[in-house]
Amino acid sequence: MEFLKTLGIKEENFGASSGLKWYQTKDCGVINVVSPTDGKAIAKVYQCSEKDYEDIVSKAHEAYQYWRTIPAPKRGEVVRQIGLKLREYKQPLGTLVSYEMGKSLQEGLGEVQEMIDICDFAVGLSRQLYGSTMMSEREKHRMYDQYHPLGVVGIITAFNFPVAVWAWNSALATVCGDSNLWKPSSKTPLCAIAVQNILADVIKENNLPEGLFSLIIGKGSTVGEIMLNDKRVPLVSLTGSTAIGKHAAEVISKRFGKTILELGGNNAIIITKNADLKIAVPAVVFGAAGTAGQRCTTTRRLIVHEDVYEKVKESLLKAYQSLKIGNPLDEKNHVGPLIDKSSVEEFKHAVKKVQEEGGKIIFGGGVLNGAGYESGCYVVPAIAEAENHYQIVQEETFAPILYLIKYKGEVQNAIDLQNNVVQGLSSSIFTNDMRETEEFLSHWGSDCGIANVNIGTSGAEIGGAFGGEKETGGGRESGSDAWKQYMRRQTNTINFGTKLPLAQGIKFEV
Protein backbone atom coordinates (compact mmCIF):
# COMPACT_ATOMS: atom_id res chain seq x y z
CA MET A 1 0.00 0.00 0.00
CA GLU A 2 1.39 3.37 -1.03
CA PHE A 3 0.62 5.15 2.26
CA LEU A 4 2.77 2.61 4.13
CA LYS A 5 5.69 3.31 1.83
CA THR A 6 5.23 7.07 2.19
CA LEU A 7 5.40 6.74 5.97
CA GLY A 8 8.50 4.54 5.91
CA ILE A 9 6.70 1.40 7.09
CA LYS A 10 8.48 -1.74 5.92
CA GLU A 11 7.63 -5.42 6.06
CA GLU A 12 9.91 -5.67 9.09
CA ASN A 13 10.34 -2.74 11.50
CA PHE A 14 12.30 -2.13 14.67
CA GLY A 15 10.58 -1.04 17.86
CA ALA A 16 13.09 1.25 19.53
CA SER A 17 14.33 4.66 18.44
CA SER A 18 16.22 7.50 20.09
CA GLY A 19 15.09 9.88 17.37
CA LEU A 20 18.27 9.69 15.34
CA LYS A 21 18.66 5.94 15.07
CA TRP A 22 16.68 2.70 15.19
CA TYR A 23 17.99 -0.03 17.45
CA GLN A 24 18.43 -3.35 15.66
CA THR A 25 17.20 -5.75 18.36
CA LYS A 26 15.47 -8.86 17.01
CA ASP A 27 15.53 -11.32 19.91
CA CYS A 28 12.86 -9.85 22.27
CA GLY A 29 9.78 -10.99 20.42
CA VAL A 30 7.93 -9.77 17.36
CA ILE A 31 4.50 -8.18 16.92
CA ASN A 32 2.63 -9.36 13.86
CA VAL A 33 0.38 -6.40 13.10
CA VAL A 34 -2.95 -7.41 11.57
CA SER A 35 -5.56 -4.93 10.39
CA PRO A 36 -9.01 -5.36 11.95
CA THR A 37 -10.34 -3.85 8.73
CA ASP A 38 -9.68 -6.89 6.51
CA GLY A 39 -7.80 -9.35 8.72
CA LYS A 40 -4.66 -9.02 6.61
CA ALA A 41 -1.13 -8.86 7.99
CA ILE A 42 0.36 -5.39 7.58
CA ALA A 43 3.90 -5.68 8.92
CA LYS A 44 6.12 -7.01 11.70
CA VAL A 45 7.62 -5.03 14.57
CA TYR A 46 10.57 -6.28 16.62
CA GLN A 47 10.13 -5.37 20.27
CA CYS A 48 12.46 -3.22 22.33
CA SER A 49 14.91 -4.87 24.72
CA GLU A 50 15.71 -3.80 28.27
CA LYS A 51 19.20 -2.83 27.05
CA ASP A 52 17.65 -0.67 24.33
CA TYR A 53 15.45 0.99 26.94
CA GLU A 54 18.40 1.75 29.21
CA ASP A 55 20.33 3.40 26.39
CA ILE A 56 17.33 5.37 25.17
CA VAL A 57 16.27 6.70 28.58
CA SER A 58 19.86 7.78 29.26
CA LYS A 59 19.87 9.74 26.01
CA ALA A 60 16.44 11.17 26.85
CA HIS A 61 17.74 12.44 30.19
CA GLU A 62 20.77 14.00 28.51
CA ALA A 63 18.51 15.63 25.92
CA TYR A 64 16.38 17.12 28.70
CA GLN A 65 19.43 18.63 30.39
CA TYR A 66 20.22 20.46 27.16
CA TRP A 67 16.67 21.23 26.08
CA ARG A 68 15.76 22.97 29.36
CA THR A 69 18.42 25.63 28.59
CA ILE A 70 16.76 26.56 25.28
CA PRO A 71 14.35 29.54 25.48
CA ALA A 72 10.75 28.39 25.40
CA PRO A 73 9.81 30.33 22.23
CA LYS A 74 12.64 28.54 20.39
CA ARG A 75 11.25 25.24 21.64
CA GLY A 76 7.93 26.41 20.25
CA GLU A 77 9.51 26.95 16.86
CA VAL A 78 10.45 23.26 16.74
CA VAL A 79 6.88 22.28 17.58
CA ARG A 80 5.66 24.63 14.84
CA GLN A 81 7.79 22.74 12.33
CA ILE A 82 6.40 19.43 13.59
CA GLY A 83 2.90 20.78 12.93
CA LEU A 84 3.93 21.66 9.38
CA LYS A 85 5.31 18.14 8.80
CA LEU A 86 2.07 16.64 10.10
CA ARG A 87 0.12 18.77 7.63
CA GLU A 88 2.31 17.39 4.88
CA TYR A 89 1.67 13.78 5.95
CA LYS A 90 -1.94 14.16 7.10
CA GLN A 91 -3.49 12.00 4.39
CA PRO A 92 -1.17 8.97 4.62
CA LEU A 93 -0.96 9.10 8.42
CA GLY A 94 -4.74 9.43 8.77
CA THR A 95 -5.14 6.49 6.40
CA LEU A 96 -2.76 4.38 8.49
CA VAL A 97 -4.66 5.27 11.68
CA SER A 98 -7.86 4.12 10.00
CA TYR A 99 -6.39 0.92 8.59
CA GLU A 100 -4.38 -0.20 11.63
CA MET A 101 -6.90 0.80 14.31
CA GLY A 102 -10.18 0.44 12.43
CA LYS A 103 -11.77 3.86 12.91
CA SER A 104 -13.33 5.60 9.92
CA LEU A 105 -11.07 7.47 7.51
CA GLN A 106 -12.75 10.74 8.49
CA GLU A 107 -11.89 10.04 12.12
CA GLY A 108 -8.34 9.01 11.24
CA LEU A 109 -7.79 12.28 9.38
CA GLY A 110 -9.48 14.12 12.24
CA GLU A 111 -7.07 12.57 14.70
CA VAL A 112 -4.09 13.84 12.73
CA GLN A 113 -5.77 17.24 12.62
CA GLU A 114 -5.86 17.15 16.44
CA MET A 115 -2.09 16.64 16.36
CA ILE A 116 -1.74 19.69 14.13
CA ASP A 117 -4.06 21.74 16.33
CA ILE A 118 -2.20 20.94 19.55
CA CYS A 119 1.06 21.91 17.86
CA ASP A 120 -0.48 25.28 17.00
CA PHE A 121 -1.71 25.63 20.58
CA ALA A 122 1.71 24.75 22.00
CA VAL A 123 3.49 27.29 19.78
CA GLY A 124 1.43 30.07 21.35
CA LEU A 125 1.87 28.54 24.78
CA SER A 126 5.65 28.73 24.44
CA ARG A 127 5.35 32.49 25.04
CA GLN A 128 2.81 32.15 27.85
CA LEU A 129 4.37 29.96 30.54
CA TYR A 130 3.32 32.50 33.11
CA GLY A 131 4.02 32.65 36.84
CA SER A 132 2.38 35.01 39.33
CA THR A 133 3.63 37.81 41.56
CA MET A 134 2.26 37.91 45.12
CA MET A 135 2.39 40.68 47.71
CA SER A 136 4.86 39.96 50.50
CA GLU A 137 4.01 40.91 54.08
CA ARG A 138 7.63 42.00 54.57
CA GLU A 139 9.03 45.38 53.53
CA LYS A 140 11.21 45.49 50.44
CA HIS A 141 10.49 41.89 49.52
CA ARG A 142 9.16 40.56 46.25
CA MET A 143 7.51 37.14 46.06
CA TYR A 144 6.54 35.25 42.93
CA ASP A 145 6.17 31.76 41.52
CA GLN A 146 7.64 30.34 38.33
CA TYR A 147 7.69 27.05 36.44
CA HIS A 148 10.73 24.99 35.43
CA PRO A 149 11.07 22.00 33.09
CA LEU A 150 10.44 18.67 34.79
CA GLY A 151 12.56 16.08 32.96
CA VAL A 152 11.85 13.01 30.86
CA VAL A 153 8.10 12.60 30.30
CA GLY A 154 6.93 9.03 29.75
CA ILE A 155 3.90 8.81 27.48
CA ILE A 156 1.95 5.53 27.42
CA THR A 157 -0.86 5.60 24.87
CA ALA A 158 -3.80 3.33 24.03
CA PHE A 159 -4.82 1.84 20.69
CA ASN A 160 -8.00 3.87 20.20
CA PHE A 161 -6.19 7.18 19.66
CA PRO A 162 -2.82 5.89 18.47
CA VAL A 163 -1.28 9.27 17.61
CA ALA A 164 -3.35 12.17 19.00
CA VAL A 165 -2.82 11.39 22.68
CA TRP A 166 0.94 11.31 22.15
CA ALA A 167 0.70 14.76 20.55
CA TRP A 168 -1.47 16.16 23.37
CA ASN A 169 1.34 15.28 25.77
CA SER A 170 4.49 15.72 23.72
CA ALA A 171 3.64 19.11 22.20
CA LEU A 172 3.12 20.61 25.65
CA ALA A 173 6.03 18.75 27.24
CA THR A 174 8.38 19.89 24.47
CA VAL A 175 7.63 23.61 24.82
CA CYS A 176 7.86 23.19 28.62
CA GLY A 177 11.45 22.02 28.21
CA ASP A 178 11.02 18.27 28.71
CA SER A 179 12.10 15.32 26.59
CA ASN A 180 9.63 12.64 25.51
CA LEU A 181 9.69 8.85 25.88
CA TRP A 182 6.77 7.20 24.09
CA LYS A 183 5.46 3.70 24.70
CA PRO A 184 2.51 3.12 22.33
CA SER A 185 -0.02 0.31 22.44
CA SER A 186 1.28 -2.94 20.99
CA LYS A 187 -2.00 -3.14 19.08
CA THR A 188 -1.13 -0.08 16.97
CA PRO A 189 2.68 0.17 16.81
CA LEU A 190 2.91 1.16 13.14
CA CYS A 191 1.24 4.52 13.76
CA ALA A 192 3.94 5.32 16.33
CA ILE A 193 6.73 4.24 13.99
CA ALA A 194 5.26 6.44 11.27
CA VAL A 195 5.21 9.47 13.59
CA GLN A 196 8.79 8.79 14.62
CA ASN A 197 9.77 8.74 10.94
CA ILE A 198 7.98 12.06 10.37
CA LEU A 199 9.82 13.59 13.33
CA ALA A 200 13.20 12.51 11.96
CA ASP A 201 13.37 15.34 9.42
CA VAL A 202 12.61 17.99 12.04
CA ILE A 203 15.19 16.48 14.39
CA LYS A 204 17.90 16.52 11.73
CA GLU A 205 17.03 19.93 10.26
CA ASN A 206 17.23 21.58 13.69
CA ASN A 207 20.21 19.58 14.97
CA LEU A 208 18.13 18.48 17.94
CA PRO A 209 19.68 16.24 20.59
CA GLU A 210 19.28 12.49 20.39
CA GLY A 211 16.65 11.42 22.89
CA LEU A 212 14.37 14.46 22.67
CA PHE A 213 11.74 12.30 20.95
CA SER A 214 12.18 8.61 21.75
CA LEU A 215 10.10 5.52 21.06
CA ILE A 216 9.98 2.14 22.78
CA ILE A 217 7.65 -0.62 21.60
CA GLY A 218 7.63 -3.59 23.91
CA LYS A 219 5.85 -5.60 26.54
CA GLY A 220 4.21 -3.83 29.44
CA SER A 221 5.55 -6.51 31.74
CA THR A 222 9.14 -5.69 30.81
CA VAL A 223 9.99 -2.24 29.43
CA GLY A 224 6.65 -0.87 30.63
CA GLU A 225 7.34 -1.88 34.22
CA ILE A 226 10.87 -0.53 33.98
CA MET A 227 9.51 2.87 32.92
CA LEU A 228 7.01 2.94 35.79
CA ASN A 229 9.82 2.27 38.27
CA ASP A 230 12.40 4.55 36.65
CA LYS A 231 13.25 7.62 38.77
CA ARG A 232 14.73 9.25 35.66
CA VAL A 233 11.15 9.55 34.38
CA PRO A 234 9.55 12.00 36.85
CA LEU A 235 6.20 12.10 35.04
CA VAL A 236 4.28 9.31 33.34
CA SER A 237 1.15 10.15 31.36
CA LEU A 238 -0.87 6.98 30.89
CA THR A 239 -4.02 6.32 28.89
CA GLY A 240 -5.60 2.93 29.48
CA SER A 241 -7.90 0.88 31.65
CA THR A 242 -8.65 1.70 35.27
CA ALA A 243 -6.92 -1.50 36.40
CA ILE A 244 -3.70 -0.60 34.58
CA GLY A 245 -3.94 2.97 35.88
CA LYS A 246 -4.28 1.82 39.49
CA HIS A 247 -1.19 -0.35 39.16
CA ALA A 248 0.81 2.45 37.53
CA ALA A 249 -0.25 4.97 40.17
CA GLU A 250 0.83 2.68 42.99
CA VAL A 251 4.22 1.95 41.45
CA ILE A 252 4.99 5.55 40.50
CA SER A 253 3.78 7.05 43.78
CA LYS A 254 6.15 4.76 45.72
CA ARG A 255 9.04 6.55 44.05
CA PHE A 256 7.31 9.95 44.46
CA GLY A 257 6.84 10.32 40.72
CA LYS A 258 3.98 12.19 39.09
CA THR A 259 1.17 10.82 36.93
CA ILE A 260 -1.39 12.01 34.42
CA LEU A 261 -4.01 9.27 34.26
CA GLU A 262 -6.69 9.05 31.56
CA LEU A 263 -8.57 5.88 32.43
CA GLY A 264 -12.07 4.41 32.13
CA GLY A 265 -15.21 6.27 31.16
CA ASN A 266 -18.88 5.37 31.62
CA ASN A 267 -20.33 8.43 30.01
CA ALA A 268 -23.99 9.39 30.05
CA ILE A 269 -26.23 11.69 28.08
CA ILE A 270 -29.34 13.00 29.83
CA ILE A 271 -32.32 13.83 27.61
CA THR A 272 -34.94 15.82 29.49
CA LYS A 273 -38.52 16.44 28.42
CA ASN A 274 -37.36 19.91 27.30
CA ALA A 275 -34.72 18.62 24.87
CA ASP A 276 -34.50 19.37 21.16
CA LEU A 277 -34.55 15.82 19.83
CA LYS A 278 -33.45 16.92 16.35
CA ILE A 279 -29.95 17.51 17.68
CA ALA A 280 -30.04 15.10 20.63
CA VAL A 281 -30.58 11.87 18.69
CA PRO A 282 -27.74 12.37 16.16
CA ALA A 283 -25.41 13.23 19.05
CA VAL A 284 -26.34 10.00 20.82
CA VAL A 285 -25.86 7.87 17.70
CA PHE A 286 -22.41 9.26 16.96
CA GLY A 287 -21.43 9.19 20.61
CA ALA A 288 -22.47 5.55 21.05
CA ALA A 289 -21.63 3.99 17.66
CA GLY A 290 -18.81 6.22 16.39
CA THR A 291 -15.35 4.61 16.48
CA ALA A 292 -17.29 1.38 17.14
CA GLY A 293 -17.71 2.46 20.75
CA GLN A 294 -13.95 2.57 21.33
CA ARG A 295 -13.54 6.12 22.59
CA CYS A 296 -12.99 6.83 26.27
CA THR A 297 -15.72 9.47 25.77
CA THR A 298 -18.13 7.06 24.03
CA THR A 299 -21.75 7.45 25.14
CA ARG A 300 -22.52 4.28 27.11
CA ARG A 301 -25.66 5.30 29.03
CA LEU A 302 -28.66 7.28 27.80
CA ILE A 303 -30.86 8.59 30.61
CA VAL A 304 -34.21 9.73 29.21
CA HIS A 305 -37.23 11.36 30.86
CA GLU A 306 -40.28 9.14 30.84
CA ASP A 307 -42.34 11.74 28.92
CA VAL A 308 -40.10 11.46 25.82
CA TYR A 309 -38.70 7.97 26.37
CA GLU A 310 -40.75 6.16 23.73
CA LYS A 311 -40.20 8.89 21.16
CA VAL A 312 -36.44 8.84 21.75
CA LYS A 313 -36.37 5.04 21.55
CA GLU A 314 -38.27 5.06 18.26
CA SER A 315 -35.91 7.69 16.79
CA LEU A 316 -32.84 5.75 17.92
CA LEU A 317 -34.06 2.51 16.38
CA LYS A 318 -34.68 4.28 13.09
CA ALA A 319 -31.24 5.91 13.15
CA TYR A 320 -29.43 2.67 14.05
CA GLN A 321 -31.12 0.88 11.15
CA SER A 322 -29.51 3.37 8.78
CA LEU A 323 -25.97 2.81 10.07
CA LYS A 324 -23.59 1.46 7.46
CA ILE A 325 -21.06 -1.00 8.87
CA GLY A 326 -17.96 -1.91 6.90
CA ASN A 327 -14.45 -1.07 5.76
CA PRO A 328 -13.53 2.23 7.49
CA LEU A 329 -11.53 3.37 4.47
CA ASP A 330 -14.83 3.61 2.59
CA GLU A 331 -16.17 7.02 3.58
CA LYS A 332 -19.75 5.85 3.01
CA ASN A 333 -19.53 3.64 6.11
CA HIS A 334 -20.30 4.93 9.59
CA VAL A 335 -18.98 2.10 11.75
CA GLY A 336 -15.78 0.11 11.36
CA PRO A 337 -14.45 -2.93 13.23
CA LEU A 338 -13.44 -3.46 16.82
CA ILE A 339 -9.69 -3.58 17.32
CA ASP A 340 -9.46 -7.38 17.67
CA LYS A 341 -11.39 -10.56 18.43
CA SER A 342 -10.87 -10.24 22.19
CA SER A 343 -12.85 -7.00 22.02
CA VAL A 344 -15.57 -8.85 20.12
CA GLU A 345 -15.74 -11.36 22.97
CA GLU A 346 -16.11 -8.53 25.50
CA PHE A 347 -18.97 -7.12 23.41
CA LYS A 348 -20.68 -10.50 23.28
CA HIS A 349 -20.24 -10.92 27.03
CA ALA A 350 -21.86 -7.54 27.73
CA VAL A 351 -24.80 -8.33 25.45
CA LYS A 352 -25.35 -11.63 27.26
CA LYS A 353 -24.80 -10.18 30.72
CA VAL A 354 -27.29 -7.32 30.41
CA GLN A 355 -29.98 -9.80 29.41
CA GLU A 356 -29.14 -12.08 32.33
CA GLU A 357 -29.54 -9.13 34.68
CA GLY A 358 -33.01 -8.33 33.33
CA GLY A 359 -32.27 -6.00 30.44
CA LYS A 360 -33.64 -6.27 26.93
CA ILE A 361 -31.71 -5.98 23.67
CA ILE A 362 -33.88 -3.93 21.32
CA PHE A 363 -31.33 -3.57 18.51
CA GLY A 364 -28.15 -5.23 17.29
CA GLY A 365 -25.77 -7.22 19.42
CA GLY A 366 -24.59 -9.68 16.76
CA VAL A 367 -21.26 -10.36 15.06
CA LEU A 368 -21.00 -9.91 11.29
CA ASN A 369 -19.46 -12.55 9.06
CA GLY A 370 -19.11 -13.12 5.34
CA ALA A 371 -17.86 -10.93 2.51
CA GLY A 372 -16.39 -7.68 3.74
CA TYR A 373 -16.23 -8.90 7.35
CA GLU A 374 -13.48 -11.51 7.05
CA SER A 375 -11.51 -10.15 10.01
CA GLY A 376 -14.24 -11.28 12.42
CA CYS A 377 -14.05 -7.92 14.20
CA TYR A 378 -17.28 -6.33 12.95
CA VAL A 379 -20.32 -6.17 15.23
CA VAL A 380 -23.75 -4.59 15.02
CA PRO A 381 -23.99 -1.73 17.55
CA ALA A 382 -26.43 -2.68 20.28
CA ILE A 383 -29.13 -0.84 22.22
CA ALA A 384 -30.29 -2.36 25.49
CA GLU A 385 -33.07 -1.23 27.78
CA ALA A 386 -31.50 -1.50 31.23
CA GLU A 387 -31.27 -0.10 34.73
CA ASN A 388 -28.36 1.91 36.06
CA HIS A 389 -27.64 -0.44 38.96
CA TYR A 390 -26.94 -3.48 36.76
CA GLN A 391 -23.37 -4.66 37.26
CA ILE A 392 -22.64 -4.64 33.53
CA VAL A 393 -23.99 -1.09 33.23
CA GLN A 394 -21.67 0.00 36.03
CA GLU A 395 -18.68 -1.29 34.04
CA GLU A 396 -17.07 0.13 30.93
CA THR A 397 -17.38 -2.17 27.93
CA PHE A 398 -15.11 -0.81 25.20
CA ALA A 399 -17.55 -1.60 22.40
CA PRO A 400 -20.73 -0.13 20.83
CA ILE A 401 -23.42 -1.02 23.36
CA LEU A 402 -25.79 1.71 24.58
CA TYR A 403 -27.84 1.29 27.75
CA LEU A 404 -31.21 3.03 27.59
CA ILE A 405 -32.37 4.10 31.06
CA LYS A 406 -35.63 5.82 32.02
CA TYR A 407 -35.98 8.48 34.72
CA LYS A 408 -38.93 10.25 36.31
CA GLY A 409 -39.45 13.63 37.91
CA GLU A 410 -36.88 16.40 38.22
CA VAL A 411 -33.56 16.62 36.38
CA GLN A 412 -31.65 16.03 39.64
CA ASN A 413 -32.94 12.46 39.56
CA ALA A 414 -31.23 11.97 36.19
CA ILE A 415 -28.04 13.64 37.43
CA ASP A 416 -27.96 11.30 40.42
CA LEU A 417 -28.23 8.30 38.08
CA GLN A 418 -25.48 9.69 35.88
CA ASN A 419 -23.14 10.22 38.83
CA ASN A 420 -23.85 6.82 40.36
CA VAL A 421 -20.91 5.06 38.69
CA VAL A 422 -17.25 4.90 39.67
CA GLN A 423 -16.05 6.64 36.49
CA GLY A 424 -16.24 10.39 35.89
CA LEU A 425 -14.98 11.39 32.47
CA SER A 426 -17.58 12.96 30.17
CA SER A 427 -21.26 13.87 30.50
CA SER A 428 -23.93 15.72 28.54
CA ILE A 429 -27.42 17.06 28.95
CA PHE A 430 -29.88 17.97 26.21
CA THR A 431 -32.40 20.57 27.33
CA ASN A 432 -33.68 24.01 26.38
CA ASP A 433 -34.56 24.77 29.99
CA MET A 434 -32.03 27.16 31.55
CA ARG A 435 -32.77 25.90 35.05
CA GLU A 436 -32.01 22.31 34.08
CA THR A 437 -28.80 23.45 32.40
CA GLU A 438 -27.61 25.33 35.46
CA GLU A 439 -28.55 22.45 37.76
CA PHE A 440 -26.46 20.11 35.62
CA LEU A 441 -23.45 22.48 35.73
CA SER A 442 -23.76 23.36 39.43
CA HIS A 443 -21.57 22.15 42.30
CA TRP A 444 -24.14 19.41 42.94
CA GLY A 445 -24.56 18.62 39.25
CA SER A 446 -22.39 16.46 37.00
CA ASP A 447 -19.33 15.06 38.80
CA CYS A 448 -17.40 14.51 35.55
CA GLY A 449 -14.32 16.30 34.28
CA ILE A 450 -16.26 17.20 31.12
CA ALA A 451 -19.86 18.45 31.26
CA ASN A 452 -21.55 19.48 28.00
CA VAL A 453 -24.88 21.07 27.17
CA ASN A 454 -26.66 20.25 23.90
CA ILE A 455 -23.64 18.45 22.45
CA GLY A 456 -22.57 14.84 22.94
CA THR A 457 -20.00 13.27 25.23
CA SER A 458 -17.31 12.80 22.58
CA GLY A 459 -15.45 15.23 20.36
CA ALA A 460 -13.49 17.32 22.87
CA GLU A 461 -11.50 20.26 21.49
CA ILE A 462 -7.80 20.66 22.22
CA GLY A 463 -8.31 24.16 23.68
CA GLY A 464 -9.85 22.76 26.85
CA ALA A 465 -8.19 20.52 29.43
CA PHE A 466 -9.21 16.91 28.83
CA GLY A 467 -9.70 14.41 31.64
CA GLY A 468 -11.98 13.13 34.36
CA GLU A 469 -12.53 12.45 38.03
CA LYS A 470 -12.97 9.39 40.29
CA GLU A 471 -11.67 6.19 38.66
CA THR A 472 -11.04 8.06 35.41
CA GLY A 473 -7.85 9.13 37.13
CA GLY A 474 -8.05 12.88 37.71
CA GLY A 475 -5.46 13.81 35.09
CA ARG A 476 -5.71 16.55 32.48
CA GLU A 477 -4.14 16.73 29.03
CA SER A 478 -4.17 19.13 26.09
CA GLY A 479 -5.39 22.72 26.55
CA SER A 480 -6.18 25.26 29.27
CA ASP A 481 -3.51 25.17 32.01
CA ALA A 482 -2.71 21.46 31.64
CA TRP A 483 0.85 22.53 30.76
CA LYS A 484 1.59 23.05 34.45
CA GLN A 485 1.69 19.29 34.99
CA TYR A 486 4.75 19.03 32.75
CA MET A 487 6.72 21.51 34.87
CA ARG A 488 7.80 21.88 38.48
CA ARG A 489 6.52 24.86 40.40
CA GLN A 490 8.83 27.07 42.42
CA THR A 491 8.05 29.95 44.81
CA ASN A 492 10.71 32.67 45.03
CA THR A 493 11.20 35.47 47.54
CA ILE A 494 13.72 38.30 46.99
CA ASN A 495 14.83 40.64 49.75
CA PHE A 496 16.09 43.87 48.18
CA GLY A 497 16.35 45.74 51.47
CA THR A 498 19.07 46.03 54.13
CA LYS A 499 17.14 44.33 56.93
CA LEU A 500 16.04 40.76 57.52
CA PRO A 501 12.40 40.82 58.70
CA LEU A 502 11.02 37.33 59.36
CA ALA A 503 7.61 36.10 58.24
CA GLN A 504 4.69 36.23 60.69
CA GLY A 505 6.48 39.02 62.58
CA ILE A 506 8.78 36.58 64.38
CA LYS A 507 11.68 38.12 66.33
CA PHE A 508 14.95 36.17 66.38
CA GLU A 509 17.94 38.28 67.36
CA VAL A 510 21.49 37.01 67.87
Side-chain angles (χ1 to χ4, degrees):
M1 295 181 177
E2 189 62 30
F3 65 88
L4 295 175
K5 183 178 179 181
T6 300
L7 296 168
I9 303 298
K10 304 171 184 176
E11 289 186 12
E12 295 184 354
N13 305 272
F14 294 103
S17 170
S18 61
L20 291 178
K21 75 172 184 178
W22 289 94
Y23 291 71
Q24 305 297 303
T25 299
K26 283 190 173 184
D27 59 357
C28 289
V30 63
I31 301 170
N32 293 299
V33 185
V34 176
S35 172
T37 297
D38 54 18
K40 295 180 180 179
I42 309 175
K44 294 181 178 180
V45 178
Y46 294 106
Q47 296 185 107
C48 171
S49 70
E50 294 182 20
K51 184 176 182 298
D52 294 340
Y53 172 88
E54 179 60 34
D55 192 61
I56 286 173
V57 78
S58 295
K59 286 182 169 59
H61 183 65
E62 292 173 7
Y64 152 69
Q65 292 178 310
Y66 163 77
W67 192 239
R68 64 184 176 180
T69 69
I70 303 300
K74 291 187 177 180
R75 301 179 207 141
E77 167 58 20
V78 169
V79 174
R80 186 188 72 84
Q81 292 178 38
I82 293 172
L84 293 177
K85 284 292 181 183
L86 289 170
R87 285 176 170 87
E88 183 180 339
Y89 287 94
K90 179 179 177 179
Q91 188 67 39
L93 184 56
T95 303
L96 175 59
V97 169
S98 176
Y99 188 61
E100 185 179 26
M101 183 267 156
K103 64 175 60 176
S104 71
L105 179 58
Q106 301 97 309
E107 291 183 86
L109 295 171
E111 184 171 342
V112 180
Q113 186 60 49
E114 283 195 33
M115 302 175 77
I116 295 166
D117 292 343
I118 196 63
C119 285
D120 289 350
F121 180 92
V123 173
L125 177 65
S126 68
R127 296 179 183 272
Q128 300 177 71
L129 302 176
Y130 298 135
S132 301
T133 298
M134 290 77 72
M135 296 299 104
S136 173
E137 65 185 44
R138 291 170 282 189
E139 294 180 2
K140 294 188 177 181
H141 281 59
R142 181 164 68 89
M143 187 166 57
Y144 66 97
D145 61 21
Q146 62 177 330
Y147 293 84
H148 294 299
L150 192 59
V152 181
V153 173
I155 305 170
I156 301 175
T157 58
F159 74 85
N160 60 325
F161 277 84
V163 293
V165 173
W166 169 82
W168 293 352
N169 287 276
S170 65
L172 300 192
T174 301
V175 299
C176 287
D178 303 321
S179 57
N180 301 275
L181 179 61
W182 184 12
K183 183 186 180 304
S185 168
S186 295
K187 295 183 179 183
T188 50
L190 300 181
C191 288
I193 292 171
V195 171
Q196 196 75 359
N197 288 337
I198 292 170
L199 291 172
D201 288 342
V202 177
I203 293 170
K204 293 172 184 176
E205 290 165 6
N206 290 273
N207 196 29
L208 299 177
E210 188 175 10
L212 185 59
F213 298 103
S214 302
L215 177 67
I216 54 168
I217 298 170
K219 297 176 181 178
S221 59
T222 54
V223 292
E225 282 297 311
I226 294 173
M227 180 194 287
L228 299 184
N229 283 280
D230 196 338
K231 290 185 177 181
R232 294 168 297 180
V233 185
L235 171 66
V236 175
S237 176
L238 183 149
T239 302
S241 70
T242 297
I244 291 174
K246 283 181 178 179
H247 170 71
E250 290 175 0
V251 173
I252 295 167
S253 65
K254 285 180 180 178
R255 61 175 175 85
F256 295 98
K258 299 180 179 181
T259 58
I260 299 173
L261 300 176
E262 300 291 353
L263 310 176
N266 196 347
N267 316 295
I269 290 179
I270 296 171
I271 296 182
T272 80
K273 61 184 177 182
N274 300 301
D276 181 349
L277 299 185
K278 293 193 301 293
I279 62 171
V281 171
V284 172
V285 175
F286 174 72
T291 327
Q294 296 173 116
R295 290 180 179 234
C296 48
T297 54
T298 288
T299 305
R300 309 208 179 276
R301 295 175 295 141
L302 182 62
I303 304 169
V304 186
H305 193 277
E306 61 178 350
D307 287 0
V308 293
Y309 183 87
E310 290 301 326
K311 187 174 183 180
V312 168
K313 183 170 75 170
E314 180 183 343
S315 297
L316 278 176
L317 290 172
K318 183 177 180 181
Y320 267 60
Q321 288 168 0
S322 67
L323 289 175
K324 293 182 175 62
I325 305 168
N327 190 317
L329 294 177
D330 184 345
E331 296 189 51
K332 294 178 182 178
N333 291 325
H334 303 107
V335 181
L338 292 173
I339 185 65
D340 55 27
K341 291 182 179 179
S342 65
S343 292
V344 174
E345 290 304 311
E346 290 180 12
F347 172 76
K348 289 164 63 178
H349 168 75
V351 169
K352 180 181 179 182
K353 183 69 174 176
V354 71
Q355 293 177 92
E356 290 176 348
E357 292 193 63
K360 180 182 179 182
I361 299 294
I362 60 174
F363 187 88
V367 180
L368 295 171
N369 297 295
Y373 307 116
E374 289 86 355
S375 69
C377 297
Y378 291 87
V379 301
V380 181
I383 303 174
E385 291 185 297
E387 295 183 21
N388 201 64
H389 63 84
Y390 290 174
Q391 180 184 345
I392 192 63
V393 176
Q394 291 285 311
E395 300 171 1
E396 178 191 38
T397 301
F398 221 57
I401 178 167
L402 177 67
Y403 300 114
L404 194 54
I405 301 164
K406 185 187 295 185
Y407 84 94
K408 301 178 180 180
E410 300 301 317
V411 70
Q412 190 62 50
N413 296 331
I415 295 171
D416 291 343
L417 285 171
Q418 175 207 282
N419 292 346
N420 191 24
V421 293
V422 296
Q423 308 88 352
L425 178 52
S426 187
S427 59
S428 299
I429 189 170
F430 280 83
T431 179
N432 288 329
D433 186 310
M434 182 187 72
R435 291 176 177 173
E436 291 180 328
T437 295
E438 292 299 328
E439 195 87 6
F440 179 73
L441 299 176
S442 70
H443 301 323
W444 53 92
S446 171
D447 66 0
C448 295
I450 300 169
N452 297 329
V453 177
N454 292 331
I455 64 170
T457 57
S458 58
E461 296 183 38
I462 58 93
F466 180 88
E469 300 300 320
K470 302 189 292 188
E471 290 193 6
T472 298
R476 294 296 186 274
E477 295 171 323
S478 197
S480 187
D481 65 348
W483 62 270
K484 293 180 179 179
Q485 297 170 109
Y486 303 90
M487 307 193 81
R488 59 181 176 89
R489 185 171 184 163
Q490 184 180 80
T491 300
N492 308 109
T493 304
I494 300 172
N495 178 0
F496 56 93
T498 58
K499 299 179 180 180
L500 186 66
L502 301 179
Q504 297 90 44
I506 294 172
K507 302 294 183 183
F508 187 81
E509 297 180 0
V510 293

